[in-house]
Amino acid sequence: MNEIEAAADMIIQAKRLVVFTGAGMSTESGISDFRSPGGVWSRFDSSEFTFQKFLASEEGRERYWAFSSSSWGEMVKAKPNPGHDAIAELDRLGRLDCVITQNIDSLHQRSGIPEAKVIELHGTAWWVNCLECGQRYPREQIQERLKGGVKVPRCDSCGGIMKPATISFGQAMPERETRQAETKAAACDLFLVAGSSLVVYPAAQMPLIAKENGARLIIINLTPTPHDSHADITIHDKIGPALSQIVERVKALS
Ligand code: ZN
């Protein structure tokens, strides 16, 4: 039996499958990876875009919004790829407990997975939050203002500082989502990693929580991860083709 077949078997046997996705999932939709060599942070200085710099000055906010608007252009154009579709298919087959993702592009929801089943650990670029009063705005609406010449958008209700609903360097992880993800990881019996190099906290922690609580672990990533030795199956390949083949087989055997 090869890895694809073995992974399909594990999914069929699983009662609670949690899928964990990272940047490698979205690069196949044309979204730039931030941390990998050649990624966004090798072209931009990440220390210029910390949460502290954003809060500290109007100039810092202006720089942030200009930078963030360029990656927003990429995100609007991106469509779910065969990897996203394969996970959505698992959901339709009744085999998906939830997706935990480090990605901020909301492509899982756009591939048809219900909002309530997607835990976004690093937030989403599709919404903008007022940091003072908590009011949320659709990102498109705020981008229109920027296009119209506004450099630093302000909240309509309170005039407060607004920021995309993503987690920046130096910003605390969202408590609710982090706790939810840990609970889901602990309760599952199969944890499938797709496209995460598993080096950033809390991503790095999740497979270990699953393993310590008796789950099996599948890791699909183009390059080796620090947790490959804990995995029951590792597949070093592109996510879309690998997941599509696995899910085809799950369907055929179901
Ligand atoms: Zn406000």
Side-chain angles (χ1 to χ4, degrees):
M1 195 185 292
N2 67 27
E3 280 93 358
I4 297 286
E5 292 166 352
D9 273 8
M10 268 189 203
I11 290 173
I12 290 168
Q13 287 159 22
K15 296 209 161 41
R16 262 183 198 236
L17 166 65
V18 169
V19 176
F20 184 96
T21 66
M25 183 92 217
S26 293
T27 49
E28 292 173 30
S29 285
I31 292 176
S32 302
D33 184 359
F34 277 75
R35 291 181 173 87
S36 69
V40 176
W41 294 140
S42 65
R43 286 176 278 131
F44 292 89
D45 179 2
S46 60
S47 71
E48 290 297 314
F49 302 99
T50 62
F51 191 48
Q52 287 67 27
K53 289 242 166 108
F54 182 86
L55 293 179
S57 72
E58 194 71 357
E59 191 196 342
R61 289 188 279 280
E62 187 175 329
R63 193 168 47 227
Y64 179 93
W65 275 106
F67 164 73
S68 181
S69 296
S70 63
S71 61
W72 171 247
E74 227 176 35
M75 224 159 277
V76 175
K77 277 185 274 168
K79 292 192 173 56
N81 66 57
H84 294 103
D85 293 339
I87 299 170
E89 185 64 27
L90 286 175
D91 184 47
R92 281 191 291 274
L93 293 168
R95 297 194 177 276
L96 180 71
D97 184 53
C98 72
V99 177
I100 304 170
T101 187
Q102 297 172 276
N103 300 332
I104 56 172
D105 47 50
S106 297
L107 284 174
H108 289 298
Q109 292 92 319
R110 292 168 69 204
S111 73
I113 299 176
E115 194 82 31
K117 281 194 174 183
V118 183
I119 303 170
E120 295 177 308
L121 283 180
H122 296 167
T124 173
W126 286 81
W127 290 92
V128 173
N129 291 335
C130 171
L131 299 181
E132 321 283 329
C133 75
Q135 171 108 16
R136 295 184 99 201
Y137 298 82
R139 180 69 179 268
E140 284 106 324
Q141 197 183 313
I142 302 304
Q143 288 302 132
E144 279 306 311
R145 295 190 199 177
L146 291 161
K147 240 192 257 170
V150 172
K151 301 263 189 250
V152 180
R154 290 272 176 172
C155 175
D156 291 339
S157 314
C158 77
I161 294 172
M162 297 204 292
K163 185 180 169 294
T166 54
I167 306 298
S168 296
F169 282 112
Q171 195 170 3
M173 293 296 297
E175 263 177 56
R176 185 171 56 91
E177 282 81 358
T178 306
R179 214 175 324 121
Q180 230 182 345
E182 286 168 354
T183 306
K184 289 291 191 182
C188 73
D189 63 352
L190 179 59
F191 194 86
L192 189 158
V193 175
S196 174
S197 42
L198 300 175
V199 288
V200 187
Y201 176 84
Q205 211 59 30
M206 297 294 167
L208 298 181
I209 294 174
K211 267 310 236 189
E212 279 162 12
N213 287 278
R216 297 208 266 190
L217 175 63
I218 301 172
I219 297 178
I220 309 173
N221 197 48
L222 203 50
T223 53
T225 81
H227 293 324
D228 284 4
S229 62
H230 299 288
D232 298 276
I233 299 172
T234 49
I235 298 174
H236 295 142
D237 200 351
K238 290 183 83 177
I239 313 305
L243 270 180
S244 306
Q245 286 177 60
I246 292 168
V247 173
E248 273 312 304
R249 191 167 165 89
V250 169
K251 263 167 81 178
L253 296 177
S254 291

